[in-house]
Amino acid sequence: MKKTLTVEQKIEALRSEIDHHNRQYYVYDDPVIPDAEYDRLLRELQDLEAQHPGLITPDSPTQRVGDKPLDAFDTVAHSLPMLSLDNAFDEQEMADFERRIRDRLNLSEAEPIHYLAEPKLDGLALNLRYEKGRLTLGATRGDGTSGENVTSNVRTIKAIPLKLSGEGWPDVLEVRGEVFMPRKGFDRLNQQAREAGEKTFVNPRNAAAGSLRQLDPRLTAKRPLSFFAYGFGQISSGRIAARQSDCMNRLFQWDIPISPQLEVVVGIEGCLEYYNHILRVRDDLLYDIDGVVFKIDDLALQERIGSVSRAPRWAIAYKFPAQEETTRVESIEFQVGRTGAVTPVARLQPVFVGGVTVSNATLHNMDEVARKDVRPGDTVMVRRAGDVIPEVVSVVDPNREGRSRPVELPTHCPVCNSQILRPEGEAVARCSGGLFCGAQRKEAIKHFASRKALDIEGLGDKLVEQLVEQELVKDPADLYALSKEQLADLERMADKSAQNLLDALEKSKITTLGRFLYALGIMGIGETMANTLARSLGNLEAIMALRFADMVEIKSSQAAKLHQALHAVPRKQHLPLDDPDFATNFDFKWLTRTHMHLLMEKFSDLDNLMAAEAKDIANIPRLSIDGVGTVLADQLVTFFRQEHNREVIAKLQQAGVHWPDASSAASESGERPLEGKTIVITGTLSRPRDEIKSDLEALGAKITGSVSKKTDYLIAGEAAGSKLAKAEKLGVPVLDESGLQALLDASHQPSTEG
Ligand code: I6G
């Protein structure tokens, strides 16, 4: 017969179960139950405690939400000093360490020394005091003699037990260890800060220190802090075991977290092997470490050898090469990647970091440059972790005399001088000279030859790379000037394959306008949009002549407000019309960069704009092409206005590339094979969602935001959430990336009827 539990027993059982799950989750990152199940347990405990308030104890897991904010932390004296560690930076210094031990202890070379080895966490030291098994104090190291009383905050850290489990613990037990923030939690915290427009933390260590030293414990409670013990302060009963390793095991039995990497090693060889092993797995650990610590395992030997005032003689931290260093930014330059992404890069005074000398560090994109406000001349913190490319983490010392302007995105590509475009709302800026830009040459030609573009059979990636590297081809038009001899000279190219390629090139000269447009690799113009443009405008000349005024709208009401705002302040308070910041002086959300291009196109300068009436500022676009918004309009007009792009197009036409009457191509014939289909897109896909949306819309599909019985397909990328679950429940067909491609391909098949 099942015994019924008393309320007290039920509460106790729930507490111990929740404590166990807290440890699994916060210490070992290995939850064994789903979050919802954990929440259910916690709620059950909360309900029981609400019904029996007399049974609430301070060590209940429900009490970890954080007390009221403090005005300041009290200072507490440590019962035994909190020491630091001596460091070693190379094998010689490790050998010296062991030599000193042997000398002091009079040990011969034949007597092995056992060490307890563990990674050195990059966090901050904490002293925990348990009295009769209950947590009574949490204090920072401070100056080693006294620290800050951060008990209210420590109580919110779920990795730290509020009461000890098991038995045999001394009446007074002080445990020392490191509070840290696991990398995953750190990334999540910074992501949230970024989304809220708040300052981010430079590294997990700073985040842990900032979180532990919060005056409001309710904030600390929300921070993903964890803890591993590494040693001891006062112990009322004296030693709890004869070896450091056994002491640590006893802590583990009482539910105090210890490092899973603890290992006893023998002699200096064992230490070096352990060091190299941890160095290799460093980037796979869930938290940052900055070295490994070795301690003589035998406590009697530890006692014999003793401590100097600052550090024990029986322990040493063998440090890893630092992953962060400070240095000076000499300049900020812009690099163009093979797909045209323009990336700001800091040129640095060379600095040794993460085991290599670093003289360049990425700044990712202009949002990052603005957020960190890095400028030439600044002293910055550079980080290089593992194989990751070095990055500028933050400005340490902004030395700004005479350099008060923030870094700006260049208007033109440093490689090919084409215009740089940064689509509204996107972090990445791109060079618009895809056809022509040296940095993008290989990718542009591969794209031009690809199956959905001019479909040049036999012109594979390796061959394109050879042609570009040997400077036989600079732009796609050069392909058509290649001779059989030039091709036959290439690696792994027999006469026969050279002839086959020439035949394929000849064959590719007959194409469709849609394919040709797609082959140009214009940013944002996928296969379907290229076909839509071909169908809507009918010929290349019309597409090349597109103006902003044809596609971009300024409503009468918007024009009237802009007119009013322009005349509300004196003329000289406005920036020039072509200044990138012109629009930011007005509070109009609709006034995008593309609208500014339209105003430039219509009025060319501020004087003309100021002289215009509101009705002249308004613009009703001549064309309305499905899927062409302000971003695409900008990309199209910018591409075709650049002389070098027009030259490549002319060269291609001179080489004989042409397309018969557009209406003969099935995909350009105006058929809308997805007419009447309702499609929902969710999750992360390899192309921007807007691009997929416009591809599908051009084929007649209607794109909606939520899944219902009426939905014909759900396109689900990675991390698709509730929409996927709903589609599965309703039996709506779900297409992944390849399913989507199949749908697009099938919709482009030439119709065989009539
Ligand atoms: O700061 C420390 C980090 C790690 C330590 C330490 C440690 O052991 C793994 N051990 C001692 C004895 C001290 N500081 C003083």
Side-chain angles (χ1 to χ4, degrees), residues 589-605:
K589 267 219 169 72
W590 61 268
L591 189 58
T592 65
R593 230 173 49 105
T594 313
H595 291 90
M596 288 308 305
H597 287 318
L598 166 61
L599 293 175
M600 286 279 293
E601 183 180 86
K602 272 186 139 178
F603 300 104
S604 61
D605 66 28

Side-chain angles (χ1 to χ4, degrees), residues 83-85 118 120 141 178 230 293 295 312 314:
L83 303 179
S84 54
L85 287 174
E118 66 188 289
K120 185 169 187 307
R141 184 201 314 252
E178 203 88 350
Y230 60 66
V293 178
K295 293 177 181 161
W314 40 264

Side-chain angles (χ1 to χ4, degrees), residues 447-751:
H447 174 77
F448 183 85
S450 65
R451 197 171 58 79
K452 290 180 190 160
L454 287 219
D455 194 16
I456 307 173
E457 220 172 295
L459 187 57
D461 290 359
K462 289 269 170 318
L463 193 51
V464 171
E465 280 157 27
Q466 277 195 71
L467 290 169
V468 172
E469 279 157 20
Q470 300 194 16
E471 297 190 4
L472 292 171
V473 170
K474 286 205 166 69
D475 64 49
D478 292 340
L479 290 170
Y480 295 99
L482 289 168
S483 67
K484 192 169 169 187
E485 292 69 37
Q486 282 174 321
L487 288 173
D489 272 353
L490 297 173
E491 237 174 73
R492 275 179 291 159
M493 201 39 139
D495 263 12
K496 175 106 177 33
S497 351
Q499 187 55 51
N500 286 347
L501 183 56
L502 287 181
D503 293 346
L505 279 162
E506 200 52 39
K507 193 169 140 215
S508 74
K509 287 182 184 172
I510 306 181
T511 185
T512 67
L513 177 55
R515 277 178 178 267
F516 182 76
L517 273 180
Y518 174 66
L520 296 178
I522 307 166
M523 214 188 298
I525 308 290
E527 184 198 4
T528 310
M529 179 47 70
N531 283 328
T532 304
L533 288 169
R535 192 176 60 229
S536 313
L537 292 157
N539 62 70
L540 181 63
E541 293 67 34
I543 296 169
M544 289 178 69
L546 280 173
R547 297 172 313 139
F548 287 103
D550 297 329
M551 295 175 282
V552 181
E553 182 176 24
I554 297 182
K555 296 193 179 96
S556 307
S557 56
Q558 292 169 331
K561 286 192 182 133
L562 177 59
H563 184 267
Q564 196 182 18
L566 281 167
H567 292 275
V569 294
R571 154 87 179 70
K572 62 175 184 307
Q573 284 192 13
H574 296 305
L575 292 167
L577 198 51
D578 60 355
D579 190 297
D581 286 335
F582 181 90
T584 55
N585 285 354
F586 299 91
D587 198 15
F588 299 133
K589 267 219 169 72
W590 61 268
L591 189 58
T592 65
R593 230 173 49 105
T594 313
H595 291 90
M596 288 308 305
H597 287 318
L598 166 61
L599 293 175
M600 286 279 293
E601 183 180 86
K602 272 186 139 178
F603 300 104
S604 61
D605 66 28
L606 183 60
D607 288 330
N608 292 335
L609 176 63
M610 299 280 296
E613 291 182 32
K615 70 173 174 36
D616 300 322
I617 298 175
N619 188 62
I620 301 182
R622 182 174 64 86
L623 302 168
S624 162
I625 307 171
D626 251 359
V628 178
T630 52
V631 170
L632 220 54
D634 196 9
Q635 287 163 345
L636 275 172
V637 177
T638 307
F639 183 88
F640 287 113
R641 282 199 181 157
Q642 301 195 48
E643 200 44 45
H644 48 246
N645 289 338
R646 300 176 81 91
E647 278 168 17
V648 176
I649 291 170
K651 255 170 80 183
L652 283 165
Q653 288 184 294
Q654 277 153 21
V657 176
H658 68 289
W659 39 95
D661 182 3
S663 61
S664 65
S667 51
E668 296 167 22
S669 68
E671 277 176 23
R672 290 164 62 83
L674 296 180
E675 190 82 61
K677 299 281 185 225
T678 303
I679 300 181
V680 177
I681 309 173
T682 190
T684 310
L685 292 140
S686 61
R687 290 193 292 148
R689 213 179 271 184
D690 274 355
E691 208 176 291
I692 296 170
K693 180 168 177 267
S694 60
D695 282 0
L696 291 166
E697 281 174 347
L699 293 164
K702 186 171 150 210
I703 310 300
T704 61
S706 56
V707 175
S708 74
K709 273 190 292 197
K710 293 201 185 114
T711 308
D712 290 288
Y713 298 107
L714 174 73
I715 314 281
E718 278 189 34
S722 58
K723 288 183 190 169
L724 177 58
K726 188 155 178 206
E728 281 168 350
K729 194 163 150 213
L730 295 175
V732 170
V734 177
L735 303 180
D736 61 7
E737 191 98 32
S738 59
L740 165 66
Q741 197 51 51
L743 181 68
L744 290 171
D745 288 347
S747 307
H748 285 127
Q749 292 297 320
S751 160

